[in-house]
Amino acid sequence: AGKGLSGSNSCKQSCKGSFADKENMPQPVTRTYHLLKPLADKEDRISWMVETECLGPFALVKAFRNMADRDHEVAIYQQLRSLQGSGLPRLRAACCQAPLRHDERKHALMLSWIGPQWHSDFSPLTRAELLRARTVLEEIHRKGVVHRDMWPRNLVRSSQAGGVCIVDFGMALTKSMMGKAAFDLECRKEMEAMDDLIQAAEKGDLQVLI
C-alpha cells in the first residue's frame, strides 16, 4: 500500500524557497514528515494530511504540477499573513518535498492543520460559524484579496482558529491583479454568496449547505 510514497511513508523536506519575496516568506526548513492520508487528488494537485516532527503534530502538504500555481498560493497567503492562525491556516513552508515519488505534482507547500484529526465533520456549519466566516471574508477583502471559490467545502470547522477557517486560495486574486473596479465587483458577489449561505442556515436548508 505504501508504494510510491516518499521514503516509505516519510520524507525529508528540502526547502529552497522559490518565491521571490524571500524576506517575508517562511524560512526554508528541513524536516521529516510522515504521510497519513490523502485528502484531495486532482490532475494538477494533490493534498495530504501528514504527521510532522515539530509542527504540531499534524500539517497539510499540497503539491502542484506547476510551480507557478504553488507560488501563486504562497503569495496569497503572504498577503494575508496577519490573518493566518485566526481565520486561515498558517503557511508553514513555502517550499517542501512533494509527498509522492515519481509524480509530476512535485511543487509543494505546507500549511498548518486546522481540521479534525482523523475524520471530517460534514454537518452543516451553524449560523454563528457562518457569521464568523463572513467576518473573516471581509478581512480578506480589506487585505486586497478575493477568494473566488467561496463554497461550503472551503469553510472548515476548527477548534483551534476561532471556530471556522477559510481554506484553498488557489483561485484567489488580488486587487492589483484585477484592477479596483473588477475587484470590488467580485467582492460584492462573494459577500452576497456568503449571505445566501447564512440565510440558508437560518432556514435549515441543508441541501444548499452541503
Side-chain angles (χ1 to χ4, degrees), residues 146-192:
V146 63
H147 188 278
R148 299 179 67 243
D149 194 18
M150 191 45 56
W151 290 90
R153 65 176 177 268
N154 289 326
L155 302 174
V156 178
R157 183 175 281 117
S158 171
S159 60
Q160 301 177 10
V164 62
C165 275
I166 295 178
V167 301
D168 196 351
F169 286 83
M171 293 181 62
L173 292 175
T174 65
K175 183 186 292 189
S176 61
M177 293 173 180
M178 301 179 69
K180 185 179 186 304
F183 176 81
D184 290 346
L185 177 61
E186 197 71 24
C187 287
R188 285 197 296 273
K189 290 180 179 179
E190 200 156 81
M191 295 308 298
E192 289 171 2

Side-chain angles (χ1 to χ4, degrees), residues 85-190:
S86 61
L88 278 65
R90 292 186 184 278
L91 179 63
R92 295 300 193 185
C95 171
C96 68
Q97 185 171 325
L100 301 178
R101 289 176 178 167
H102 313 303
D103 192 304
E104 293 183 0
R105 297 163 296 184
K106 60 185 179 181
H107 307 288
L109 59 83
M110 182 180 286
L111 299 168
S112 63
W113 181 257
I114 50 94
Q117 291 186 5
W118 293 108
H119 59 86
S120 296
D121 183 353
F122 289 107
S123 62
L125 296 176
T126 65
R127 180 179 182 275
E129 289 170 329
L130 287 170
L131 286 172
R132 163 62 180 158
R134 191 185 195 282
T135 299
V136 174
L137 187 59
E138 286 178 326
E139 290 297 321
I140 289 171
H141 292 167
R142 287 193 193 100
K143 298 292 183 183
V145 172
V146 63
H147 188 278
R148 299 179 67 243
D149 194 18
M150 191 45 56
W151 290 90
R153 65 176 177 268
N154 289 326
L155 302 174
V156 178
R157 183 175 281 117
S158 171
S159 60
Q160 301 177 10
V164 62
C165 275
I166 295 178
V167 301
D168 196 351
F169 286 83
M171 293 181 62
L173 292 175
T174 65
K175 183 186 292 189
S176 61
M177 293 173 180
M178 301 179 69
K180 185 179 186 304
F183 176 81
D184 290 346
L185 177 61
E186 197 71 24
C187 287
R188 285 197 296 273
K189 290 180 179 179
E190 200 156 81

Side-chain angles (χ1 to χ4, degrees), residues 32-98:
T32 298
Y33 66 74
H34 304 277
L35 296 176
L36 294 179
K37 66 174 182 177
L39 301 173
D41 189 347
K42 301 178 181 179
E43 183 178 352
D44 62 339
R45 66 197 63 195
I46 188 169
S47 299
W48 278 82
M49 179 185 184
V50 303
E51 185 177 19
T52 68
E53 292 185 343
C54 49
L55 282 182
F58 303 111
L60 175 73
V61 171
K62 296 180 68 174
F64 301 80
R65 185 183 300 274
N66 298 316
M67 183 185 294
D69 291 337
R70 190 270 314 275
D71 289 352
H72 172 78
E73 193 152 341
V74 167
I76 296 295
Y77 272 102
Q78 285 301 112
Q79 184 154 335
L80 299 173
R81 66 176 64 85
S82 64
L83 299 178
Q84 293 182 30
S86 61
L88 278 65
R90 292 186 184 278
L91 179 63
R92 295 300 193 185
C95 171
C96 68
Q97 185 171 325

Side-chain angles (χ1 to χ4, degrees), residues 1 23 198:
E23 290 185 1
I198 294 170

